[in-house]
Amino acid sequence: YWLVDKLSEAAERNEGLDVEPDRTSIIVSNSVNAFVNRYVQATAGTTYICYGRSGTGKTMAALHLIHGEHDNRPKRSIMVNAGGDIAFAENFARMQMAPDAAPYLANILCAALVFDQKKNQAGWNFFTRIHRLINSCHAPAIDQPTISLHESDSLEIGVGRPMATRTDLPLLIIDDFPESAANHSFLSRLYIKASALRITVLVLTKDADWASKMIQINGGVKILPMDEVVKNPRGDNVEPFEEEPDWTGMGWNLRDLRTFAATLGSPEVSEELHEGMTPTAVQELHDAAVSPQVK
């Protein structure tokens, strides 16, 4: 139970575990709109799959959802960086100094998101503190970065749950989740527990084939593609999503790329940009243009 307690505190802080933002200021892009709208319009207890090419800003858009200055930020959330690990549950549990928890990690993460800490029970607190001390598993308060948004007024929020209840939905985000038998098994357990506890899950991956396979785990009922990142969205259809997702790859349009480039400062590289580029490619282009000036 001490690990549930520790992760519950992380959920209260909307913590990103092993997630390092590469900037604290971003622009309103398709990816930012996609994540905010998916949370706002989510069906409680559903796991959503997000495929996007590497470098398209999935991680930053997800961080903005839980750390951004907007009215739809969830009250309780955890974002975990799977880091491309094919044995995510096993290695995450080991990093938390709780290797024996690996088989139960799906239940533990979900419990932490809905867990009401028993602060008035001295025995519980004593047990938790001793366990952390023995395992060098302290949970110090960590200042989470605020992700600011350029031209935030242009954020487009669709019709979703009533404003009064939007932020009450617990949220779990797993970033860079790769294909493997172990991860398939983990997700097969996670979606069942998340559904039972009405937790929204967002799973991010840069592998389109794996994204499609994850949806098939439950026959397109409780595991769905994010409407915002496919050309054939499910929308209000209540039938299972049985067709092959036509993923967009979370591409950026030229206007947003130029807006992003402008935030990088001199030298100006906007005229060298083209449709299909990623923010990472724009950053690299800008950095290459800066280097000759430095010399």
Side-chain angles (χ1 to χ4, degrees):
Y1 294 114
W2 65 270
L3 184 55
V4 174
D5 181 52
K6 176 190 176 186
L7 293 175
S8 177
E9 293 175 4
E12 189 172 351
R13 297 190 295 267
N14 288 339
E15 190 167 334
L17 303 177
D18 199 27
V19 181
E20 293 291 337
D22 55 11
R23 60 180 63 88
T24 57
S25 180
I26 59 176
I27 71 163
V28 177
S29 62
N30 289 339
S31 54
V32 169
N33 275 312
F35 279 95
V36 174
N37 276 282
R38 183 41 36 207
Y39 178 66
V40 167
Q41 300 174 26
T43 300
T46 300
T47 294
Y48 294 98
I49 308 300
C50 174
Y51 159 68
R53 292 181 298 142
S54 180
T56 52
K58 299 186 298 298
T59 300
M60 289 304 303
L63 279 171
H64 167 262
L65 173 57
I66 63 174
H67 292 155
E69 298 172 326
H70 58 92
D71 295 334
N72 297 290
R73 186 168 59 187
K75 293 178 181 176
R76 291 182 67 83
S77 65
I78 298 174
M79 181 172 175
V80 182
N81 178 21
D85 196 331
I86 61 173
F88 163 66
E90 178 182 341
N91 289 317
F92 179 82
R94 185 181 297 113
M95 289 175 61
Q96 301 302 313
M97 306 298 291
D100 292 341
Y104 316 104
L105 184 61
N107 287 358
I108 289 171
L109 285 168
C110 289
L113 283 161
V114 298
F115 182 60
D116 185 15
Q117 288 180 294
K118 303 174 179 63
K119 294 181 179 179
N120 61 335
Q121 297 184 13
W124 172 273
N125 284 335
F126 176 77
F127 171 76
T128 298
R129 286 195 299 269
I130 293 299
H131 230 299
R132 286 180 180 164
L133 188 61
I134 293 173
N135 291 279
S136 300
C137 194
H138 300 74
I142 300 173
D143 291 333
Q144 298 298 307
T146 297
I147 308 298
S148 62
L149 197 62
H150 285 279
E151 302 177 357
S152 58
D153 291 342
S154 61
L155 188 62
E156 300 174 1
I157 307 298
V159 178
R161 299 187 309 282
M163 181 63 75
T165 62
R166 283 184 179 182
T167 61
D168 290 333
L169 193 64
L171 175 66
L172 172 63
I173 303 174
I174 304 179
D175 190 16
D176 197 9
F177 190 66
E179 180 176 10
S180 70
N183 287 348
H184 185 285
S185 178
F186 169 77
L187 187 62
S188 297
R189 295 190 298 272
L190 175 65
Y191 91 84
I192 295 173
K193 194 64 176 180
S195 177
L197 296 178
R198 299 175 61 80
I199 294 169
T200 294
V201 180
L202 300 180
V203 179
L204 284 52
T205 181
K206 52 191 174 187
D207 183 338
D209 290 339
W210 169 229
S212 298
K213 290 177 184 177
M214 285 190 278
I215 294 166
Q216 296 168 5
I217 289 175
N218 180 238
V221 178
K222 289 296 183 181
I223 305 178
L224 299 170
M226 281 176 53
D227 277 359
E228 297 80 5
V229 298
V230 291
K231 297 176 183 177
N232 53 338
R234 183 174 187 249
D236 295 329
N237 190 345
V238 296
E239 297 298 320
F241 189 93
E242 296 179 336
E243 55 189 304
E244 186 71 17
D246 188 1
W247 302 103
T248 66
M250 294 193 78
W252 281 49
N253 60 50
L254 189 56
R255 181 198 64 187
D256 289 347
L257 288 170
R258 285 175 172 165
T259 301
F260 172 68
T263 68
L264 301 178
S266 180
E268 176 63 53
V269 296
S270 292
E271 294 306 315
E272 301 177 56
L273 308 183
H274 56 80
E275 294 279 357
M277 293 185 74
T278 65
T280 298
V282 174
Q283 181 73 62
E284 291 172 351
L285 182 64
H286 178 268
D287 292 345
V290 169
S291 297
Q293 292 186 355
V294 173
K295 293 178 182 179

